[in-house]
């Protein structure tokens, strides 16, 4: 956190007093805000025990939250694997020295990065519905996985490309010098190093995948959010159910984000290339949430 | 082909895009304001505000946007009877803007912080040397340079916001692109490919110029060092 030192000196007695006062005011402000929210919700009866009691029962977790989380994780896990495959294929395609392959890969990657994930999911969902090639109950799941794969795979393809470009110079020359062809040196020397260097960014992308899997809710895929909604309308505690579902997502994603931060610190000693996100790299922040919602969703 | 063209006259595709653009502009404005405030809190010397800013970013960056928007519709509007306008549709529209803004503010905050990191240490030292305290030095010296350094990441947030505005469907904003596309395909599944490519192309046309523009601007406005 070098930022703090940039903006102010080690405080003297007067500044320390001002900061103390600021801290107290800030703390009062935060407590006041939380207090206001709590009292507003309490007056609506949102803290009534019967609204929270369901979360103390194992059945709620077994039949709703964990069940939904299972479907969320299943879609996310499969999408992670397929996105990496897609990303490797098109990332290598963009690095190819055959112009046609490079062009096709570029168009594919740019297209799928620009189209909202939700539109792709709706398209595939309805397409499978009308083509009748998969069982109707499977079509939301496959649409979710396809949508996530095409978008996140494209982002990973860009990661592969920028990873290779960020390698220290001379790696390819070294490969060529010992008699490898260009594609051999790419596969055996450059891409493996780029993959290690991009690991933190890759993990951040998994957060995007996990978050965007919640878009499946809109196309009737029964993931965590859909189950939370079912629970909420059954027990009359929509607010609480959605909060608990959000909390589950936050905890998992926070762990993944911390892992990515740790790894980038650790790996920067291990790799020649950059492991930290390049702020101006258009790729990495493309979905700060990703939302696909990347920046998250869609 | 004629079938498809007649479909375009039945559904207001441009109007649907206009709804997404409006969502994006309003949410972008609020997210920029809130995100700047959060960034200021995170770089301020006051620990409690730093903590609040960091907590906000970690919470909202890790929550799916779909949950936030569904929360606005199902919990805020449905259960708590929270409303931002007398008109039902306008109220849902504004709640969706609120959800989009709250979510993207976390990313705006991080973008601006990355911009602050581009400002050299000497600038802040100079500001202190001429006697400026935290707020004046942030307002007059640090932030103006930070914004110029943050244009590219802010552009990425804007692009994500445009695409994410389709998720407003989860907040029951009914006439935006993803809902209209779904209705069109359900009505005429025989021309499903042209319908999808029309909407996909619309987003490509919206997104790519913003990427090019912000990249160009970030180069042009970069502070020469």
């Amino acid at each position: 956190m070098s930022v703090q030192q940039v903006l102010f000196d080690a405080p003297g007695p007067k500044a320390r007093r001002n900061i103390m006062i600021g801290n107290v005011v800030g703390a009062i402000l935060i407590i006041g805000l939380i207090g206001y929210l709590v009292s507003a919700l309490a007056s609506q009866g949102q803290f009534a025990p019967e609204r929270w009691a369901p979360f103390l029962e194992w059945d709620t977790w077994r039949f709703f939250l964990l069940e939904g989380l299972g479907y969320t994780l299943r879609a996310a896990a499969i999408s992670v694997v397929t996105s990496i495959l897609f990303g490797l294929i098109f990332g290598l395609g963009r690095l190819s020295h055959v112009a046609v392959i490079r062009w096709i890969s570029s168009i594919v990657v740019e297209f799928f990065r620009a189209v909202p994930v939700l539109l792709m999911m709706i398209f595939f969902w309805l397409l499978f519905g009308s083509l009748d090639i998969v069982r109707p109950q499977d079509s939301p799941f496959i649409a979710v996985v396809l949508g996530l794969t095409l978008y996140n795979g494209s982002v990973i393809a860009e990661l592969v490309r920028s990873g290779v470009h960020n390698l220290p110079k001379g790696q390819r020359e070294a490969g060529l010098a010992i008699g490898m062809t260009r594609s051999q040196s790419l596969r055996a020397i450059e891409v493996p190093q780029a993959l290690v260097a991009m690991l933190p960014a890759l993990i951040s992308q998994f957060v995007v995948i996990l978050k965007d899997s919640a878009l499946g809710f809109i196309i009737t895929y029964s993931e965590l959010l859909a189950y939370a909604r079912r629970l909420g309308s059954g027990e009359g505690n929509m607010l609480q159910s959605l909060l608990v579902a959000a909390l589950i997502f936050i905890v998992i994603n926070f762990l993944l984000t911390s892992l990515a931060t740790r790894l980038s610190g650790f790996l920067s000693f291990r790799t020649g290339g950059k492991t930290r996100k390049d702020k101006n790299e258009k790729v990495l922040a493309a979905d700060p949430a990703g939302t696909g919602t990347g920046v998250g969703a869609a | 082909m004629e079938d498809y063209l007649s479909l375009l006259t039945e559904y207001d595709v441009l109007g649907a895009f206009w709804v997404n653009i409006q969502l994006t502009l309003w949410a972008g404005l609020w997210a920029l304001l809130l995100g700047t405030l959060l960034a200021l809190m995170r770089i301020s010397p006051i620990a409690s505000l730093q903590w609040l800013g960091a907590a906000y970013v970690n919470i909202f960056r890790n929550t799916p946007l779909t949950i936030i928007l569904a929360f606005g519709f199902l919990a805020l509007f449905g259960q708590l009877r929270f409303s931002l306008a007398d008109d039902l549709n306008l109220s849902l529209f504004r709640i969706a803007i609120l959800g989009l803004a709250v979510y993207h503010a976390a990313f705006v905050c991080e973008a601006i912080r990355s911009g602050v990191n581009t400002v050299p240490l000497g600038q802040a030292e100079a500001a202190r040397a001429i006697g400026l305290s935290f707020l004046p030095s942030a307002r007059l010296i640090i932030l103006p340079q930070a914004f110029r350094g943050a244009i590219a990441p802010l552009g990425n947030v804007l692009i994500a916001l445009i695409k994410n505005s389709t998720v407003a469907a989860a907040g029951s904003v009914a006439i935006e692109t993803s809902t209209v596309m779904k209705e069109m395909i359900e009505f005429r599944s025989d021309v499903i490919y042209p319908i999808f490519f029309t909407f996909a192309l619309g987003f490509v046309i919206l997104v790519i110029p913003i990427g090019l523009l912000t990249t160009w601007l970030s180069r042009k406005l970069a502070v020469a060092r």
Side-chain angles (χ1 to χ4, degrees):
Chain A
M1 294 241 105
S2 60
V3 183
Q4 266 84 15
Q5 281 130 35
V6 177
L7 292 177
F8 41 86
D9 277 314
K14 196 177 158 201
R16 267 208 300 273
R17 200 190 58 213
N18 286 343
I19 289 175
M20 255 289 280
I21 294 171
N23 255 329
V24 171
V25 172
I28 290 173
L29 222 69
I30 295 169
I31 293 169
L33 196 71
I34 294 173
Y36 169 75
L37 273 178
V38 167
S39 73
L41 288 176
S43 71
Q44 292 254 10
Q46 296 298 333
F47 289 100
E50 68 269 18
R51 293 193 193 254
W52 293 94
F55 299 106
L56 297 174
E57 286 164 29
W58 173 234
D59 277 356
T60 304
W61 288 86
R62 189 170 50 158
F63 293 124
F64 289 97
L65 297 171
L66 292 181
E67 176 94 359
L69 181 63
Y71 285 109
T72 290
L73 291 179
R74 201 165 69 169
I78 294 177
S79 307
V80 164
V81 176
T82 50
S83 312
I84 293 177
L85 277 177
F86 184 97
L88 276 178
I89 292 171
F90 285 94
L92 286 177
R94 287 196 88 168
L95 291 165
S96 164
H97 53 271
V98 182
V100 181
I101 298 179
R102 218 165 46 224
W103 270 96
I104 293 175
S105 308
S106 300
I107 292 171
V108 168
V109 166
E110 292 297 338
F111 178 79
F112 288 119
R113 273 195 329 157
V115 179
V117 179
L118 182 59
L119 286 195
M120 292 194 243
M121 285 185 184
I122 292 176
F123 168 68
F124 287 121
W125 173 49
L126 297 173
L127 182 69
F128 292 136
S130 68
L131 287 185
D132 206 26
I133 45 171
V134 295
R135 290 185 304 162
Q137 65 267 36
D138 288 341
S139 74
F141 172 72
I142 299 177
V144 167
V145 170
L146 266 175
L148 290 178
T149 301
L150 293 175
Y151 171 70
N152 294 288
S154 302
V155 176
I156 292 173
E158 286 296 275
L159 285 177
V160 171
R161 192 171 73 124
S162 70
V164 168
H165 280 311
N166 278 337
L167 286 179
K169 285 178 187 153
Q171 303 282 335
R172 172 174 295 171
E173 283 83 343
L176 297 181
I178 58 170
M180 287 178 161
T181 63
R182 271 181 73 173
S183 57
Q184 275 175 330
S185 112
L186 197 63
R187 277 199 304 269
I189 299 179
E190 295 162 54
V191 170
Q193 294 185 70
L195 284 178
V196 176
M198 75 187 223
L199 209 53
L202 200 59
I203 294 175
S204 311
Q205 203 57 38
F206 296 165
V207 173
V208 175
I209 292 180
L210 196 67
K211 284 198 300 180
D212 281 3
S213 70
L215 288 170
F217 164 76
I218 299 173
I219 59 163
T220 73
Y221 178 55
S222 304
E223 42 69 70
L224 181 52
L225 176 53
Y227 271 94
R229 192 191 150 173
R230 220 170 290 167
L231 177 69
S233 53
E235 304 273 353
N237 60 351
M238 190 58 83
L239 183 85
Q240 290 77 1
S241 298
L242 291 178
L243 280 182
V244 171
L247 202 65
I248 296 174
F249 271 105
I250 292 170
V251 168
I252 298 175
N253 287 334
F254 183 72
L255 291 177
L256 278 175
T257 312
S258 328
L259 178 69
T261 316
R262 286 249 180 109
L263 263 182
S264 85
F266 174 66
L267 288 175
S268 57
F269 297 107
R270 297 279 306 266
T271 59
K274 278 187 226 154
T275 58
R276 288 183 187 277
K277 290 189 181 185
D278 190 338
K279 317 184 250 307
N280 293 321
E281 190 69 60
K282 146 172 169 215
V283 191
L284 297 179
D287 225 7
T291 192
T293 350
V295 175
Chain B
M1 193 61 201
E2 271 172 34
D3 292 355
Y4 167 67
L5 289 178
S6 73
L7 195 61
L8 286 186
T9 55
E10 269 173 66
Y11 286 90
D12 188 5
V13 175
L14 284 180
F17 272 102
W18 176 233
V19 172
N20 283 77
I21 292 171
Q22 281 176 308
L23 282 168
T24 304
L25 290 179
W26 285 113
L29 191 66
W30 289 112
L32 189 63
L33 287 175
L34 184 56
T36 309
L37 185 68
L38 286 167
L40 259 181
M41 284 162 68
R42 290 200 73 176
I43 59 174
S44 80
I46 296 169
S48 59
L49 295 184
Q50 283 171 22
W51 178 86
L52 182 65
Y56 183 99
V57 168
N58 277 322
I59 288 174
F60 285 103
R61 202 172 43 174
N62 289 318
T63 314
L65 177 62
T66 328
I67 287 205
I68 296 177
L69 290 173
F71 184 86
F73 175 58
L74 296 171
L76 272 188
F77 180 79
Q79 204 178 7
L80 298 181
R81 308 267 164 236
F82 177 80
S83 171
L84 285 173
D86 292 334
D87 179 54
L88 174 76
N89 284 326
L90 186 61
S91 185
L92 288 175
F93 181 74
R94 286 184 180 164
I95 289 176
I97 289 173
L98 179 70
L100 286 167
V102 160
Y103 178 76
H104 289 89
F107 296 97
V108 170
C109 169
E110 291 306 273
I112 292 175
R113 239 160 48 98
S114 82
V116 170
N117 283 333
T118 65
V119 181
L121 189 66
Q123 298 282 330
E125 285 172 346
R128 290 199 306 261
I130 58 170
L132 296 180
S133 58
F134 172 74
L135 271 181
S137 76
R139 185 169 58 87
L140 295 170
I141 309 227
I142 308 295
L143 281 186
Q145 298 186 65
F147 270 111
R148 290 166 74 163
I151 289 173
L154 282 175
N156 289 329
V157 177
L158 183 63
I159 288 173
L161 179 52
I162 290 186
K163 296 193 286 167
N164 285 342
S165 67
T166 55
V167 187
S172 275
V173 173
I175 38 169
E176 53 80 50
T177 48
S178 72
T179 328
V180 170
M181 186 184 88
K182 178 166 165 277
E183 278 171 17
M184 283 171 76
I185 294 178
E186 276 167 350
F187 179 60
R188 288 296 303 276
S189 60
D190 53 318
V191 282
I192 180 168
Y193 296 103
I195 294 174
F196 174 68
F197 279 108
T198 307
F199 283 94
L201 204 66
F203 276 96
V204 171
I205 291 170
L206 278 177
V207 161
I208 289 187
I210 294 179
L212 294 177
L213 183 72
T214 52
T215 312
W216 177 76
L217 268 181
S218 70
R219 289 211 186 107
K220 187 173 158 62
L221 295 181
V223 183
R225 296 199 166 100

